[in-house]
Amino acid sequence: MTDHRRSHTKEEQGLRRPSSHSWVEIDLASIRHNVRTIKQFLGPGRHLWAVVKANAYGHGAVATAAAALEAGADGLAVSCLNEAAELRMDAGIRAPLLVLAPGEPRAAAWIVRLDILQTACYDAMVEALSRAAQRLDKPARVHLKVDTGMGRLGLRPERAAEFARFITEAPGLRLEGVFSHLATAESDDPAYAQLQFERFDTVVRELSAAGIAPGLRHLANSAATLRFPAMLLDGVRAGLLVYGIRPDAPGLAPLDLRPAMTWKTRLSFLHRLPPGCCVSYGCTYVTERECLVGVLPLGYADGYPRRASNRSRVLLRGRMCPVIGVVCMDHLMIDASAVPDAEVDDEVILLGRQGNSAITPNQLAEWAGTVVHEVPTVIGHRVKHVYLDREQPPDPGRGPEGEPP
Ligand SMILES: Cc1ncc(COP(=O)(O)O)c(C=O)c1O
């Protein structure tokens, strides 16, 4: 049988890969600025958990986590044990690391050994952590999750005090926090979020009445942080704000945020189509006049939302150009007629600023009919990450800013 994984040929040796068809630039100085700004807003003593799950919403977990910690984040929150492994084992990050998922009993020893803060919301997990803690002679640190109305993870409020007692009496376990998650922090009507807060407050009071110290109390995500001062409690779990994205919610306190991500590509092809020509699958767009059509070498395989077809815009030479026709897997088309001097290889902005114009993730989310969280998070693995640090002078060893890897 032929082995197709052969070593490099002579022609391949020393060759650089062709540049990336699309890339995101992540400005780590912006992440640090946002974290410092949030910390200042929270005031002394309140914890900021930087939520870096899902590869830091597409920004890159390790680099983002390191920047957030450097700027004063008190801990990191991730979704699952795999994400915790990437930060703790692969990157050697020693900061407090909260796993938001309910955990897996078979991973209990691993969790204890790596000093992970584990969400506790069911008996078998607590029992497994207790056994592992005793065996390893090391405490298992947990945050109790209460389901105050999200209907996803956590104990019903009426069971919380009894479960907290179970935790505190389990040998080797340490209850270090109690938390919940809001279902409607962004909604126009704040009533349901207030109800969840009241339920959470009642649980905390019940714990205190039972002589159980709840540890850190945390409830707010980014929107609630800027909207409901009473919900700041002992700390918040913020994702969007760390990335410089303003939640789409009414009544937010002002905060000087800097968007950390710019998503770029280059024009890969240009052609003039006469009136009456179809553009892309399904012929959902037909040119009404002569049209300078630009082709961009990325599509929904790269996380550009297909639902933004015929709705969104991109920036070319500082001008907004509409996306025309449906977004394909690997290509999307734009009407570049407003930029008659456009050339193949021109830089195009999908998210971010060019000249005096900008496209925010919120705007792209609206075009695509989705939530702002989804926009950076689903950017695909073909899109390279380029890390910049705009607080520092340009490194002469690196190519011009924005040069893809
Ligand atoms: C449990 C939990 N807490 C906090 C957050 C952070 O939310 P945001 O990015 O809106 O701040 C999330 C994100 O989905 C979450 O699932």
Side-chain angles (χ1 to χ4, degrees), residues 133-276:
Q134 291 175 83
R135 205 168 55 243
L136 294 165
D137 196 23
K138 193 167 183 250
R141 306 164 64 193
V142 300
H143 283 220
L144 164 62
K145 175 114 191 226
V146 187
D147 174 17
T148 55
M150 173 76 178
R152 189 170 68 176
L153 298 171
L155 281 139
R156 301 283 304 155
E158 57 275 15
R159 275 211 58 212
E162 168 203 334
F163 191 73
R165 167 77 60 212
F166 175 53
I167 291 173
T168 52
E169 288 178 354
L173 248 70
R174 220 152 72 185
L175 179 62
E176 296 198 1
V178 56
F179 74 110
S180 189
H181 190 47
L182 298 171
T184 61
E186 289 88 0
S187 303
D188 288 346
D189 183 353
Y192 193 69
Q194 293 291 357
L195 176 65
Q196 283 197 258
F197 174 55
E198 281 155 28
R199 288 174 177 161
F200 187 71
D201 191 49
T202 304
V203 166
V204 171
R205 282 170 201 273
E206 281 171 11
L207 295 190
S208 300
I212 299 168
L216 289 174
R217 302 160 304 153
H218 48 108
L219 174 66
N221 63 355
S222 292
T225 297
L226 296 189
R227 196 175 175 194
F228 306 119
M231 298 189 197
L232 298 179
L233 300 172
D234 298 322
V236 304
R237 304 180 307 273
L240 290 181
L241 299 181
V242 169
Y243 308 112
I245 301 172
R246 240 179 125 64
D248 285 313
L252 299 182
L255 202 67
D256 170 34
L257 296 172
R258 293 190 196 152
M261 177 186 283
T262 305
W263 190 4
K264 295 182 173 180
T265 187
R266 291 183 191 279
L267 269 181
S268 62
F269 189 66
L270 268 172
H271 54 159
R272 262 181 210 288
L273 292 182

